[in-house]
Amino acid sequence: MSTPANAPAERYQLFQRAGSTRWQVRFSIKGQGQFKRSLDTDDRGEAERRADAIWYEATYRAKQGLTAKTHTFESVAEAYIAQILR
C-alpha cells in the first residue's frame, strides 16, 4: 500500500532531540529555507496536529507571496526605522 502524496512524512519531519521528551518539527519551503519549531508537547498525536497547523500556515503564507516566517511588530518596526534612516 502506498502513502498519499501529501502524507505528513513528505511534508515535514517530527523528531525529538537527545535527552528531551518534547517533539520538534522541521520542513523546508522552496525559496524560504528550512524551518524548525518546538511543538511544546510530549504527545505524538498532539505533535502531529500542531505540526500540520504550522506547516499549513507557513505554506499558505508562502503561496500568498509573504514570508513564511512570522515576524514580531518590534522586528518589523526596527527594520522600517533602519530603512528610513538610510
Side-chain angles (χ1 to χ4, degrees):
M1 179 177 196
S2 64
T3 58
N6 61 352
E10 294 182 18
R11 295 183 292 208
Y12 55 79
Q13 291 180 324
L14 290 178
F15 65 98
Q16 292 175 309
R17 293 180 185 218
S20 175
T21 59
R22 298 286 185 171
W23 286 99
Q24 308 269 325
V25 64
R26 75 174 148 235
F27 57 92
S28 295
I29 297 178
K30 188 172 183 152
Q32 304 251 353
Q34 187 175 49
F35 296 79
K36 292 180 190 172
R37 292 263 314 263
S38 172
L39 299 172
D40 295 325
T41 185
D42 299 339
D43 181 359
R44 171 78 186 216
E46 180 63 21
E48 288 178 2
R49 285 188 287 280
R50 290 179 186 185
D52 275 337
I54 291 167
W55 183 83
Y56 280 120
E57 180 182 356
T59 55
Y60 176 80
R61 290 177 59 82
K63 286 179 184 175
Q64 299 303 314
L66 303 170
T67 59
K69 292 183 180 180
T70 56
H71 302 281
T72 63
F73 175 80
E74 182 180 3
S75 68
V76 173
E78 286 175 0
Y80 177 75
I81 291 169
Q83 182 179 359
I84 295 296
L85 293 176
R86 276 190 254 144

